[in-house]
Amino acid sequence: MKQYGKVAVLMGGTSSEREVSLMSGTGVLAALQSRGVDAHKFDPAEKPLLSIKDEGFDRVFAILHGPYGEDGTVQGALEVLGVPYTGCGVLASAIGMDKLRTKLIWQALGLPIPAFELVDANSDFAAIEQKLGLPLFVKPATEGSSVGVVKVKTAGGLKAAYEEAAKFDKLVLAETFVGGGEYTTAVLGNEALPAVKIEPATEFYDYEAKYFRDDTVYHCPCGLSAEKEAQIAADVLKAFWAIGGSSWGRVDFLMDEAGQHYLLEVNTAPGMTSHSLFPMAARQAGMSYEDLVLRILDTTLDGQE
């Protein structure tokens, strides 16, 4: 384990996803230490990021979530410090955190995405409801973990949903409902891992369902045919490549009742909690949580002797 040197597990931070990041980071830290890695907690909410260099860390396992942590900001700072880190680089992190720009890139490449509209205070809410149909989802463009997401089920509800989402971001999206199932595919290096199907007991896969509820049901294998899953995996890898993705990440997608898939969003710093999807996919591929964490950390060794 000496090849890794001293490793900072970057967790916590100041975003709305701080609590989830601390849960993810605690798991990652324990996994690394159990394998003999000289790993230590580092919370940028408690001390300056520059301390990473001052304290002699050789590399970073970045498991911050949300703005600042996975939007390219901390990645840029680590680039300036010259410290290798896990996860996507500055460009992919910035684009991946922005659902609007991600969708525009995927749309330009002809990848399947749900119909959507950008919404602001002056929008014709009734016209958007009619165009996208009901129910529909409203979400901030640059938040993760379903923070600020509202499902609009009745006519006239879009305006209030917009106002709720706008508390989190000035860019707000309205997106058509796709009701054939929620799935995700994890990407590790250049490989797509087995897809996971998600069946929340709640209205949709919200913050509580993702991290705290025990009645969300996960299926891996996901139940899709091998041919369909291979087709989706190809689109997922293309979508991840399109934003400049590297190291590891996750692409969420939806299925409609006719069996057509629609790419939803990309996560460039996936959760690593006990409820998280990436470790589930890794287990199906034959990797323990500890094996997965080391595989991710190995991506910081690329290009080194």
Side-chain angles (χ1 to χ4, degrees):
M1 296 299 149
K2 291 182 179 179
Q3 62 181 331
Y4 301 120
K6 187 178 180 183
V7 178
V9 180
L10 199 58
M11 67 174 92
T14 58
S15 81
S16 60
E17 298 179 66
R18 172 178 172 80
E19 185 178 6
V20 177
S21 175
L22 288 171
M23 290 191 295
S24 290
T26 298
V28 167
L29 180 62
L32 290 174
Q33 291 176 341
S34 75
R35 292 296 177 89
V37 177
D38 183 20
H40 306 264
K41 174 184 177 181
F42 192 104
D43 187 345
E46 298 175 352
K47 52 186 172 181
L49 196 65
L50 285 172
S51 300
I52 284 177
K53 201 72 171 177
D54 298 337
E55 294 179 19
F57 286 104
D58 296 293
R59 65 198 69 251
V60 166
F61 195 114
I63 198 66
L64 291 170
H65 301 315
Y68 175 78
E70 57 180 307
D71 62 359
T73 305
V74 76
Q75 288 78 12
L78 292 171
E79 294 280 355
V80 171
L81 292 175
V83 180
Y85 56 91
T86 60
C88 292
V90 177
L91 175 67
S93 299
I95 295 174
M97 194 67 197
D98 188 327
K99 295 180 180 67
L100 174 62
R101 271 74 184 189
T102 297
K103 288 177 184 297
L104 292 174
I105 290 171
W106 290 351
Q107 190 176 54
L109 289 173
L111 291 166
I113 61 171
F116 72 95
E117 292 287 329
L118 190 61
V119 187
D120 61 36
N122 298 314
S123 292
D124 185 336
F125 297 107
I128 292 173
E129 287 180 359
Q130 186 173 18
K131 181 177 181 180
L132 296 179
L134 293 174
L136 59 80
F137 281 98
V138 177
K139 56 187 69 175
T142 59
E143 287 284 348
S145 292
S146 299
V147 172
V149 176
V150 180
K151 185 176 182 179
V152 178
K153 296 184 286 185
T154 57
L158 177 56
K159 185 175 188 294
Y162 159 75
E163 290 170 350
E164 177 62 26
K167 294 176 183 177
F168 299 92
D169 193 347
K170 62 183 179 181
L171 284 178
V172 175
L173 301 174
E175 190 174 74
T176 193
F177 173 74
V178 179
E182 300 181 55
Y183 299 77
T184 192
T185 293
V187 177
L188 183 58
N190 297 316
E191 176 188 1
L193 300 184
V196 179
K197 183 178 183 181
I198 306 147
E199 291 184 356
T202 48
E203 186 74 34
F204 63 96
Y205 194 43
D206 59 12
Y207 186 86
E208 288 293 319
K210 285 180 177 178
Y211 302 112
F212 300 106
R213 296 180 67 101
D214 292 321
D215 53 3
T216 303
V217 178
Y218 303 95
H219 301 277
C220 190
C222 67
L224 298 175
S225 69
E227 181 182 5
K228 183 61 180 177
E229 190 163 354
Q231 179 189 1
I232 291 167
D235 277 354
V236 162
L237 291 173
K238 185 176 180 180
F240 194 59
W241 168 84
I243 67 157
S246 60
S247 184
W248 70 306
R250 209 188 69 229
V251 177
D252 301 335
F253 64 95
L254 303 171
M255 296 284 289
D256 67 15
E257 291 81 354
Q260 172 60 50
H261 63 279
Y262 297 88
L263 302 178
L264 190 59
E265 58 189 67
V266 64
N267 191 320
T268 57
M272 289 289 284
T273 73
S274 60
H275 286 60
S276 293
L277 300 163
F278 208 110
M280 293 179 200
R283 281 196 300 273
Q284 183 63 27
M287 275 179 280
S288 68
Y289 185 95
E290 293 77 13
D291 291 338
L292 172 61
V293 169
L294 283 182
R295 281 279 302 272
I296 295 168
L297 188 60
D298 282 343
T299 65
T300 65
L301 301 172
D302 291 348
Q304 297 186 18
E305 295 294 332

